[in-house]
Amino acid sequence: MFFDDKLAAFHASARNAQDVIHIGSQLLLDAGDVKPDFEENILKREQDYPTGLEIGYTGVAIPHTDSRFVNKSQIAFVSLKKPVVFRYMIDRDKAVQAILVFIIAMSQPHEQADALGDLVGMLSNQKAVKCLQACTSMEMLEAILTENHIC
């Protein structure tokens, strides 16, 4: 599915949203899933269409960009040691302290809406969010995603 390349960074250090996007974009680029200008375009899109969300008491972000910058549909997961500021998806003047970030790279435009919906559904489950925050290995991540019907 969208996690078959097993792209994740657990409890990463980042100073800001750009650092987190770089970490996830680099995982996707190294795997050959995205084009070299993917990161640049995800950062541009984030300026106009922020992707931070507050779900329960947890800040998350789901940055993404157009399918033309993607070679193969994939999602990279980055959890953080300390939250970084993303702007809120619904009110760009509001800050969200994101600790969980899913970088979405979809090669087909219709896949993006499905992936976003599935992720938001999983992130609405407080147990899943706590497990994601505690996750330290790909095996743990795969178990969480499988349990929540993401992979």
Side-chain angles (χ1 to χ4, degrees):
M1 184 98 174
F2 298 136
F3 280 97
D4 59 340
D5 283 351
K6 298 180 175 29
L7 305 177
F10 304 103
H11 302 123
S13 295
R15 296 169 300 182
N16 53 41
Q18 292 82 5
D19 283 354
V20 179
I21 290 171
H22 175 72
I23 292 167
S25 295
Q26 195 61 52
L27 289 169
L28 291 159
L29 183 63
D30 290 348
D33 296 328
V34 298
K35 294 176 172 55
D37 53 354
F38 176 81
E39 180 178 347
E40 173 187 341
N41 284 283
I42 218 168
L43 290 168
K44 284 180 187 175
R45 187 188 184 287
E46 194 71 23
Q47 291 299 313
D48 295 328
Y49 305 101
T51 60
L53 289 169
E54 286 181 341
I55 300 177
Y57 295 104
T58 304
V60 300
I62 309 175
H64 51 280
T65 192
D66 295 334
S67 59
R68 65 185 169 180
F69 305 108
V70 178
N71 297 323
K72 175 186 168 195
S73 295
Q74 200 61 232
I75 298 174
F77 170 71
V78 181
S79 64
L80 297 166
K81 287 181 185 179
K82 295 182 180 179
V84 299
V85 173
F86 273 80
R87 291 181 316 158
Y88 190 43
M89 185 183 290
I90 298 168
D91 179 358
R92 63 196 308 174
D93 294 328
K94 184 176 177 186
V96 173
Q97 295 289 324
I99 194 126
L100 301 173
V101 180
F102 290 87
I103 312 284
I104 298 179
M106 295 294 125
S107 64
Q108 300 299 315
H110 70 276
E111 293 175 325
Q112 194 159 283
D114 293 341
L116 284 167
D118 290 346
L119 287 171
V120 169
M122 176 183 66
L123 293 167
S124 297
N125 175 341
Q126 199 60 21
K127 178 185 172 201
V129 169
K130 286 181 181 184
C131 289
L132 287 168
Q133 289 174 315
C135 187
T136 59
S137 72
M138 185 51 70
E139 292 77 22
M140 290 173 71
L141 178 61
E142 285 182 288
I144 296 163
L145 297 175
T146 299
E147 183 177 321
N148 288 278
H149 311 289
I150 302 293
C151 70

